[in-house]
Amino acid sequence: MIEAIISTLIGALTAMVPLVLTSVGAVVSERAGVVNIGYEGILLMSAFFGAMFAEVTGSPWIGLLGGAFVGMLLGMLHGVITVYLKGDHVIPGIGVNLLALGIVAFGIPAYWGTAGQHVVPDTFRVSPIIKTPYGSLSPMVLITIIIAILTHWVLFKTPLGLRIRAVGENPEAADALGINVERYRFLATVYGATLAGLGGAFMSVDWLGTVTKQLSAGRGFIALANMVFSGWNPLRALLGGFIFGFFDNLSVWVRTNPEIQKIIPWQFVATLPYLVTLIIVAGIIGKVRPPKADGKPYKRE
């Protein structure tokens, strides 16, 4: 039993990576006042193109960077629409989610010639840095933790972080102080989407080693729930990501243990990440406050 617990905890560290990266990115974006619900689509498209870049170049690290680049481009698109064109913050995200479903569903058979799924060869996947009898850990786990800590430090301990939070709380006052509201909002949006892109590529060229049109499996929306759970705080998003990752990985453990399945069906356990999301969000609604200008286009008078 102890071995199973250790194995599940190690697996949770891996499962938390796309959730934490996306949540931390969303924290920064919304701290600057820009809502983006398109992270589900960013995760999916970045997983697809990350695998493609890894196989074309022969390097999983270029695949990860390629996924981050795709996320950056989608973040720039969202930023232009919401920040510079003063568009609605929700509709572009819905568009990205729908676009991702179409591109990946069409792209897998068109590019790889397989129906619905492509398995990334092991030679194009990131090698773990720590191997134990209970499981292995990718270097991306450590990188994710570092990103979360550094983002928290920048956001709350530096003048740059103060400016980012200012344009999300009171853009009029920030503008009066000479802060370029549009620039900070745009860059925060791009940063958030880039982290989500990195998380998407991680799923295909590291953790899961496959590309399907259902690969993101709601993780973009779970990441948004984790962002709310964290109170728009990167460190608490790191903790929340681990909790969600634990329940995500728990279903895998149950699925591979026939004795446990006799007691608890794995299909029920597989719903736990989503049930936990609903319970947590329902429990904290009204108890946390988003940035005052979150989701509100800023128009200079």
Side-chain angles (χ1 to χ4, degrees):
M1 179 59 71
I2 294 178
E3 293 180 355
I5 293 174
I6 295 174
S7 177
T8 303
L9 291 176
I10 290 176
L13 287 171
T14 301
M16 79 173 187
V17 170
L19 295 174
V20 171
L21 287 173
T22 306
S23 297
V24 170
V27 165
V28 174
S29 179
E30 295 211 8
R31 279 285 182 176
V34 179
V35 172
N36 185 355
I37 67 167
Y39 292 117
E40 183 78 3
I42 293 174
L43 285 172
L44 188 55
M45 273 199 276
S46 297
F48 173 79
F49 286 105
M52 184 185 296
F53 290 145
E55 294 182 11
V56 168
T57 62
S59 170
W61 292 102
I62 293 181
L64 288 171
L65 291 176
F69 178 72
V70 170
M72 182 188 72
L73 292 179
L74 293 171
M76 292 174 68
L77 175 62
H78 188 79
V80 168
I81 293 173
T82 58
V83 177
Y84 290 107
L85 299 181
K86 316 302 180 185
D88 182 87
H89 287 217
V90 175
I91 293 175
I94 295 174
V96 168
N97 292 338
L98 295 175
L99 177 65
L101 287 173
I103 286 179
V104 175
F106 171 79
I108 293 173
Y111 184 75
W112 284 296
T114 56
Q117 180 181 21
H118 170 70
V119 178
V120 180
D122 290 342
T123 52
F124 303 122
R125 295 177 62 183
V126 176
S127 301
I129 54 172
I130 300 175
K131 295 182 179 181
T132 73
Y134 311 108
S136 58
L137 283 178
S138 164
M140 279 300 298
V141 174
L142 180 60
I143 292 172
T144 297
I145 294 172
I146 292 173
I147 287 175
I149 294 173
L150 285 178
T151 301
H152 181 271
W153 178 75
V154 170
L155 204 54
F156 294 103
K157 302 295 183 180
T158 67
L160 173 60
L162 181 61
R163 295 188 188 101
I164 291 173
R165 289 183 287 124
V167 300
E169 285 289 340
N170 194 330
E172 292 82 4
D175 193 8
L177 291 173
I179 298 174
N180 190 320
V181 175
E182 292 180 337
R183 179 188 301 165
Y184 279 95
R185 284 191 165 189
F186 178 78
L187 293 177
T189 305
V190 172
Y191 178 75
T194 301
L195 289 190
L198 182 60
F202 166 81
M203 290 193 292
S204 61
V205 302
D206 191 325
W207 177 27
L208 301 174
T210 186
V211 181
T212 71
K213 65 179 181 180
Q214 298 93 9
L215 187 65
S216 51
R219 290 184 179 90
F221 298 113
I222 292 177
L224 289 173
N226 185 40
M227 172 197 70
V228 177
F229 165 75
S230 73
W232 290 265
N233 182 297
L235 287 185
R236 286 200 288 268
L238 177 61
L239 173 61
F242 177 77
I243 295 173
F244 286 115
F246 172 80
F247 285 105
D248 194 359
N249 191 65
L250 187 62
S251 65
V252 178
W253 177 70
V254 172
R255 196 178 308 177
T256 56
N257 286 267
E259 295 182 1
I260 302 297
Q261 289 189 47
K262 295 178 182 178
I263 304 172
I264 306 174
W266 71 264
Q267 292 91 341
F268 170 75
V269 180
T271 65
L272 286 179
Y274 309 100
L275 290 175
V276 170
T277 300
L278 290 173
I279 292 170
I280 289 179
V281 171
I284 62 177
I285 286 178
K287 298 180 181 179
V288 292
R289 182 187 67 81
K292 289 183 179 179
D294 195 17
K296 300 176 182 177
Y298 174 65
K299 298 180 181 180
R300 193 173 189 178
E301 299 296 336

